[in-house]
Amino acid sequence: MASGNQTVVYLSEQVVVLCSCALSFVGSSLIILTYALWPDLRTTPRRLLVFLSVSDWLSAVSYAFGVWRVFHGDSPDCVAQGAISTFANTSSFFWTVAIAVYLYVFIVRSSQRVADSLVLVFHLVSWGVPLIITVAAVCLNKIGYDASEVSVGWCWVRINAPDRVLWMLLTGKIWEFLAYLTLPVLYVLIKRHIHIAHAALSEYRPILAGRPPSHSFSSMADRKLTLIPIIFIVLRIWSTVRFILLLVGSPARQSPVLVTLHGIGNTSQGAANCIMFVLFTRPIRTRLCAALCCCSKCRAEGRHSHDASHRLLPGQDATTQREEEDGRAGTQS
């Protein structure tokens, strides 16, 4: 399967990971598009989600190029792809945690003013820190061919760099570990606060209006709060496992199954966010369905007009044809 210090990426693995990149590309684009189309849905959390989607979109494109090429040595495009994916992937970690921090301050601390004031800090950290790290890695000649030992065809930290472990931590892994710890804690605190608030509100429901309470929106939000850290960990854990196996020198890191899971996990964040925050969000899902139905109706009307125009005689317009048909009907009567 692999010879020496190199992991072979099979064609089947390439196809699967490229499909995952395509889904993430479409999902991230859809999140950005829905935000641009409907101004009334432009809340601050969704704006933060758009910034996360920009990072995921960039990751999907750069990873797709790397998987398609499957680099076998250092080259300028290898360094460029490795730098872009390093920046985008690290930025995605920061924006994922930033959204959790915003929701925690907004919901648990009940301070929208403080939460909104953090947005500028989120920008400085989520774009600035990855950019500084990536520029430093490129200038010090640390980004390049990694023999797919902790990737799936794309370039990252040079596998022959003597301090490669340090740079693997700085360019992604240490932020990934921090996200593993931070996200579950923040979302557990948010869920706990919401459950306490619901319990307090339930004491007053008997004296409120007689309509039955609806739990659909709150239950959906509760499921999302549970799924966000779980999905993040499930998607990212495979790259962490391969990194640990590399540290201990285990050949298990070259397993085709593990390599495939790593490729899918690293490239599926945009698709997962789209499923949770677009397809599973009723107002946006309803508008998308309406827009698609409208487009289908317009296409059907266009085809009908096109067919009608083909039924006309040469040099005859629709009005003339209608007058002739009316004249023939009058003659027959």
Side-chain angles (χ1 to χ4, degrees):
M1 179 181 61
S3 58
N5 194 30
Q6 180 178 358
T7 299
V8 176
V9 179
Y10 296 106
L11 178 61
S12 59
E13 297 168 355
Q14 285 181 266
V15 172
V16 171
V17 178
L18 282 173
C19 290
S20 177
C21 290
L23 291 175
S24 193
F25 174 86
V26 172
S28 300
S29 301
L30 194 57
I31 292 174
I32 298 170
L33 182 63
T34 55
Y35 181 85
L37 286 178
W38 297 306
D40 57 308
L41 297 177
R42 296 175 186 173
T43 60
T44 302
R46 188 157 288 274
R47 186 163 72 250
L48 298 179
L49 179 63
V50 167
F51 299 139
L52 170 61
S53 298
V54 171
S55 298
D56 292 333
W57 186 94
L58 199 57
S59 292
V61 172
S62 60
Y63 282 143
F65 179 74
V67 175
W68 173 69
R69 280 291 310 274
V70 185
F71 295 101
H72 298 288
D74 287 323
S75 61
D77 53 346
C78 170
V79 175
Q81 181 274 313
I84 294 172
S85 62
T86 297
F87 169 78
N89 196 45
T90 308
S91 179
S92 178
F93 292 150
F94 280 103
W95 278 117
T96 303
V97 175
I99 293 173
V101 171
Y102 180 91
L103 294 176
Y104 173 80
V105 174
F106 182 78
I107 296 174
V108 179
R109 297 301 181 185
S110 302
S111 179
Q112 182 177 357
R113 183 182 61 83
V114 175
D116 289 341
S117 68
L118 291 174
V119 174
L120 179 59
V121 178
F122 294 154
H123 278 288
L124 294 175
V125 174
S126 300
W127 299 124
V129 173
L131 182 61
I132 292 172
I133 293 174
T134 303
V135 170
V138 172
C139 292
L140 295 174
N141 201 29
K142 302 300 179 182
I143 300 296
Y145 177 62
D146 73 341
S148 295
E149 288 292 86
V150 200
S151 69
V152 187
W154 58 76
C155 292
W156 188 30
V157 176
R158 294 180 187 274
I159 195 64
N160 57 359
D163 52 354
R164 61 182 178 275
V165 174
L166 172 63
W167 282 99
M168 286 178 181
L169 290 171
L170 288 176
T171 57
K173 290 306 171 186
I174 190 171
W175 315 114
E176 193 174 61
F177 292 144
L178 291 176
Y180 288 155
L181 299 175
T182 304
L183 291 176
V185 171
L186 289 175
Y187 281 111
V188 165
L189 292 175
I190 294 171
K191 283 171 57 68
R192 180 175 175 273
H193 178 84
I194 292 175
H195 289 168
I196 292 175
H198 283 175
L201 181 61
S202 64
E203 298 180 5
Y204 297 94
R205 280 182 179 144
I207 62 176
L208 295 177
R211 62 185 181 183
S214 175
H215 298 282
S216 59
F217 290 104
S218 61
S219 61
M220 176 59 73
D222 190 61
R223 285 196 293 271
K224 286 182 180 178
L225 290 175
T226 303
L227 289 175
I228 289 171
I230 293 177
I231 290 176
F232 178 85
I233 293 174
V234 168
L235 291 179
R236 295 289 182 172
I237 194 64
W238 311 109
S239 64
T240 304
V241 170
R242 288 193 71 200
F243 174 70
I244 295 173
L245 292 175
L246 175 66
L247 294 182
V248 299
S250 173
R253 69 183 181 275
Q254 300 172 335
S255 166
V257 175
L258 189 56
V259 170
T260 303
L261 290 173
H262 177 191
I264 295 173
N266 268 41
T267 59
S268 296
Q269 192 67 49
N273 289 337
C274 178
I275 292 172
M276 282 194 296
F277 299 111
V278 174
L279 302 183
F280 284 179
T281 301
R282 184 180 299 175
I284 300 180
R285 185 174 67 246
T286 302
R287 296 189 185 199
L288 281 177
C289 292
L292 291 175
C293 291
C294 181
C295 290
S296 300
K297 183 178 179 181
C298 291
R299 284 196 297 269
E301 291 177 351
R303 285 195 298 269
H304 178 73
S305 301
H306 181 72
D307 294 340
S309 65
H310 276 281
R311 288 196 298 269
L312 298 178
L313 295 175
Q316 181 184 37
D317 61 10
T319 304
T320 305
Q321 184 194 40
R322 192 179 302 109
E323 290 176 353
E324 291 181 358
E325 290 175 352
D326 292 342
R328 285 195 298 270
T331 302
Q332 293 174 358
S333 63

